[in-house]
């Protein structure tokens, strides 16, 4: 009886010693083909590796099932792991297009024991040399009202370096750059190829009118992985903006005016007021609104929006722009009245002809005055110092606030001689946003 038990224990011990490597392989380390490289591309081999502890290459057999569509099996090799008691199985595949690569499990036999060995799922990208930079926009999903700050970020992927960023100023809105991010150094991206989106620039967008608004046109010129200079544009998107709801007196903004909600007072720990800063982008947007007003009729929507924008910037609404369409109508009316008066005099209707001629003279004089106003060169000043002479780094000068409407008296190279009320002097031309 004792001998029988001893033989049984010896058999179990021998079996345990024989199966121990397989137990370690199958339980402690779940068998899995893992990718041998960080990224897979359609232009290169897709390599997977399987490590079998405690086994020799000849003791491992691997069989693959039918491959998915657009995937082909290239080769497989078995070798010993240097310095370890293990076998390494390397399987190589090719992918005809970009995809999430999901391979069927391989059938493996290790020392006569059969098992299923899955492959880790991986993403296969197109050849980086053929990829073009792409832009994306992240806008919070919420209900927007007129004057709300819509802060969003533009991101890029498949780019090595950003060369230039440009954007169109939207109508009926205040649009300001808030941050710009650098991606020119490879270390910031962590690898030679980086498939994730990288932030490039952020904006603060404040629509001033209700309705459906298209996201402003933004383009980024970047270098692709293939070395080409590519201009990428943000995808077309629209948001719906609802009219601002009336607020109770306690909730009313700190700044007065029809569009005061566009620039509400910022709160600090001491509840102190912060000064509104008018940026160059704000001045440029305001100049475009004035240009639009100049080519509209008086009391038009363009004039109201411009005035409300100035209020939103904490300014007292400035002088109205002369209306070019109204000037043309008055001029044509004066010319028509002059023709009619001349005809009436020719047919000897002296009293009627004289009255019509007087009216025509008044209309022509009015159109002349309006034409002189419309013909003056005007611009909005970005803010800074007005100098007595056109030289940089002068210690003297008269400070002039941003967004002031100035008259251009003279242009000389990169300098302009301006007048604002009783202030005359020179400023750099690139600090002026002309009202066309």
């Amino acid at each position: 009886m004792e001998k029988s038990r001893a033989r049984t224990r010896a058999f179990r011990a021998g079996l345990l010693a024989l199966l121990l490597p397989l137990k370690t392989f199958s339980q402690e380390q779940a068998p899995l083909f893992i990718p041998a490289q960080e990224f897979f591309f359609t232009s290169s081999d897709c390599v997977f590796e399987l490590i079998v502890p405690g086994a020799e290459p000849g003791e491992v057999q691997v069989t693959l099932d039918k491959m998915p569509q657009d995937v082909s099996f290239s080769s497989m090799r078995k070798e010993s792991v240097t310095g370890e008691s293990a076998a390494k199985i390397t399987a190589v595949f090719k992918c005809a297009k970009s995809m999430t690569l999901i391979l069927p499990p391989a059938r493996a036999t290790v020392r006569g024991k059969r098992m299923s060995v899955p492959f880790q799922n991986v993403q296969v990208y197109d050849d980086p040399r053929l990829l073009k930079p792409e832009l994306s926009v992240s806008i919070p999903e919420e209900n927007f009202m007129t004057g709300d700050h819509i802060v969003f970020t533009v991101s890029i992927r498949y780019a090595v370096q950003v060369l230039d960023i440009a954007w169109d100023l939207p109508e009926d809105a205040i649009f300001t750059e808030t941050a710009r991010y650098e991606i020119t150094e490879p270390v910031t991206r962590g690898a030679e190829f980086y498939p994730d989106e990288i932030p490039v620039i952020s904006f603060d967008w404040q629509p001033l009118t209700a309705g459906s608004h298209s996201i402003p046109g933004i383009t980024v010129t970047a270098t692709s992985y293939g070395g080409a200079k590519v201009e990428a544009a943000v995808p077309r998107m629209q948001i719906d903006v609802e009219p601002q709801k009336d607020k109770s007196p306690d909730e009313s903004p700190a700044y007065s005016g029809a569009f005061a909600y566009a620039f509400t007072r910022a709160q600090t720990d001491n509840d102190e007021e912060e000064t509104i800063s008018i940026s160059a982008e704000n001045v440029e947007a305001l100049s475009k609104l004035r240009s639009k007003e100049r080519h509209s009729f008086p009391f038009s929507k363009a004039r109201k929006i411009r005035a409300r924008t100035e209020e939103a910037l904490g300014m007292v609404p400035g002088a109205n722009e002369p209306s070019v369409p109204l000037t043309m109508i008055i001029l044509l009316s004066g010319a028509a009245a002059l023709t009619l008066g001349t005809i009436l005099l020719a047919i000897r209707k002296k009293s009627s002809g004289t009255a019509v001629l007087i009216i025509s003279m008044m209309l022509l004089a009015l159109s002349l005055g309006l034409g002189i106003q419309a013909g003056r060169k005007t611009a909005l000043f970005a803010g800074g110092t007005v100098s007595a002479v056109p030289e940089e780094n002068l210690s003297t000068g008269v400070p002039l606030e941003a967004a002031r409407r100035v008259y251009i008296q003279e242009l000389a190279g990169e300098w302009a001689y301006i007048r604002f009320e009783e202030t005359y002097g020179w400023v750099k031309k690139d600090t002026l946003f002309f009202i066309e």
Side-chain angles (χ1 to χ4, degrees), residues 255-260 263 276 304-317:
Y255 302 120
S256 62
F259 269 45
F263 282 85
I276 299 177
K304 294 178 182 178
I305 292 175
R306 186 266 305 165
R308 291 172 179 175
T309 303
E310 289 175 334
E311 290 178 352
L313 291 169
M315 302 169 54
V316 176

Side-chain angles (χ1 to χ4, degrees), residues 9-319:
R9 286 196 296 270
F11 175 76
R12 290 176 177 174
L15 183 61
L16 181 62
L18 180 64
L19 297 180
L20 184 58
L22 296 181
K23 179 180 179 182
T24 301
F25 171 63
S26 60
Q27 295 181 5
E28 296 182 3
Q29 298 180 8
L32 177 68
F33 274 100
I34 61 174
Q37 62 233 54
E38 186 176 5
F39 300 109
F40 285 174
F41 304 105
T42 56
S43 59
S44 59
D45 292 335
C46 302
V47 183
F48 290 85
E49 293 179 347
L50 171 67
I51 304 298
V52 184
E56 295 295 329
E59 296 175 326
V60 182
Q61 287 77 42
V62 178
T63 304
L64 298 176
D65 288 331
K66 183 180 179 181
M67 293 293 101
Q69 187 177 1
D70 299 314
V71 179
S72 60
F73 171 70
S74 295
S75 63
M76 181 180 294
R77 68 175 183 271
K78 298 183 289 183
E79 58 185 321
S80 299
V81 179
T82 305
E84 297 182 24
S85 177
K88 180 171 74 172
I89 314 301
T90 302
V92 182
F93 303 87
K94 289 279 191 181
C95 295
K97 64 179 184 179
S98 60
M99 66 177 74
T100 299
L101 181 57
I102 304 176
L103 294 171
R107 297 193 303 273
T109 302
V110 181
R111 292 179 178 174
K113 182 176 179 58
R114 297 178 179 177
M115 61 187 65
S116 178
V117 183
F119 287 83
Q120 181 176 321
N121 296 342
V122 296
Q123 182 66 38
V124 179
Y125 299 93
D126 285 320
D127 184 347
R129 296 169 297 180
L130 305 179
L131 291 174
K132 294 182 178 180
E134 298 176 357
L135 297 185
S136 62
V137 176
S138 57
I139 295 182
E141 294 183 2
E142 55 185 83
N143 296 325
F144 298 109
M145 295 184 181
T146 50
D148 282 353
H149 291 259
I150 305 175
V151 179
F152 66 92
T153 299
V154 178
S155 300
I156 194 170
R157 64 174 182 169
Y158 305 145
V160 177
Q161 182 179 10
V162 171
L163 304 176
D164 185 45
I165 305 175
W167 58 88
D168 299 327
L169 289 175
E171 295 183 352
D172 306 338
I174 298 174
F175 193 69
T176 308
E177 175 187 343
T178 58
R180 191 173 294 213
Y181 312 96
E182 188 67 45
I183 70 162
T184 56
E185 293 297 331
V187 67
T188 61
R189 295 180 284 121
E192 291 184 359
F193 175 79
Y194 192 74
D196 297 339
E197 296 175 344
I198 306 168
V200 174
I201 192 169
S202 295
F203 294 97
D204 185 343
W205 178 25
Q206 291 177 268
L208 301 179
T209 58
S212 182
H213 291 258
S214 298
I215 188 170
I218 303 169
T219 58
V220 174
T221 304
T223 304
S224 69
Y225 283 102
K229 183 178 177 181
V230 180
E231 186 177 275
V234 296
R236 296 179 63 87
M237 295 176 60
Q238 285 194 324
I239 62 168
D240 292 325
V241 178
E242 300 176 0
Q244 185 77 8
K245 295 180 180 178
D246 294 333
K247 297 185 178 182
S248 63
D250 293 338
E251 298 175 329
S252 60
Y255 302 120
S256 62
F259 269 45
Y261 50 75
F263 282 85
T264 56
R265 179 171 61 87
Q267 300 293 323
T268 63
D269 293 338
N270 297 324
D271 197 34
E272 298 177 348
E273 286 194 10
E274 293 187 356
T275 304
I276 299 177
S277 176
I278 302 178
S279 66
E281 288 83 359
N282 296 149
V283 179
E284 185 178 5
L286 194 55
S287 70
K288 290 183 179 294
L289 290 176
R290 281 193 167 273
S291 297
K292 186 176 181 180
E293 176 188 351
R294 177 168 289 197
H295 295 278
S296 304
F297 287 101
F299 311 107
S300 64
K301 179 182 176 182
R303 177 167 294 181
K304 294 178 182 178
I305 292 175
R306 186 266 305 165
R308 291 172 179 175
T309 303
E310 289 175 334
E311 290 178 352
L313 291 169
M315 302 169 54
V316 176

Side-chain angles (χ1 to χ4, degrees), residues 243-423:
Q244 185 77 8
K245 295 180 180 178
D246 294 333
K247 297 185 178 182
S248 63
D250 293 338
E251 298 175 329
S252 60
Y255 302 120
S256 62
F259 269 45
Y261 50 75
F263 282 85
T264 56
R265 179 171 61 87
Q267 300 293 323
T268 63
D269 293 338
N270 297 324
D271 197 34
E272 298 177 348
E273 286 194 10
E274 293 187 356
T275 304
I276 299 177
S277 176
I278 302 178
S279 66
E281 288 83 359
N282 296 149
V283 179
E284 185 178 5
L286 194 55
S287 70
K288 290 183 179 294
L289 290 176
R290 281 193 167 273
S291 297
K292 186 176 181 180
E293 176 188 351
R294 177 168 289 197
H295 295 278
S296 304
F297 287 101
F299 311 107
S300 64
K301 179 182 176 182
R303 177 167 294 181
K304 294 178 182 178
I305 292 175
R306 186 266 305 165
R308 291 172 179 175
T309 303
E310 289 175 334
E311 290 178 352
L313 291 169
M315 302 169 54
V316 176
N320 296 329
E321 291 295 326
S323 173
V324 173
L326 178 62
T327 302
M328 295 302 298
I329 289 177
I330 295 175
L331 176 62
L332 294 175
S333 300
L338 178 62
T339 303
L340 177 60
T342 303
I343 294 174
L344 290 174
L345 290 177
I347 60 176
R348 298 183 178 182
K349 292 187 177 182
K350 187 175 180 180
S351 58
S352 299
T354 302
V356 173
L357 284 177
I358 293 174
I359 294 175
S360 70
M361 292 299 106
M362 294 174 60
L363 290 174
L364 290 174
L366 179 59
S367 66
L368 177 62
L370 292 175
I372 292 174
Q373 289 186 14
R376 289 178 178 175
K377 291 183 180 180
T378 56
L380 295 186
F381 184 43
T385 302
V386 180
S387 304
V389 293
E391 294 182 8
E392 297 187 50
N393 304 322
L394 289 179
S395 58
T396 59
V398 178
L400 185 61
E401 297 176 347
R404 295 304 180 187
R405 182 173 177 266
V406 299
Y407 291 97
I408 312 299
Q409 305 291 103
E410 181 183 350
L411 294 174
E414 43 182 47
W415 290 88
Y417 190 72
I418 65 169
R419 176 176 68 84
F420 174 73
E421 297 180 348
E422 299 303 319
T423 300

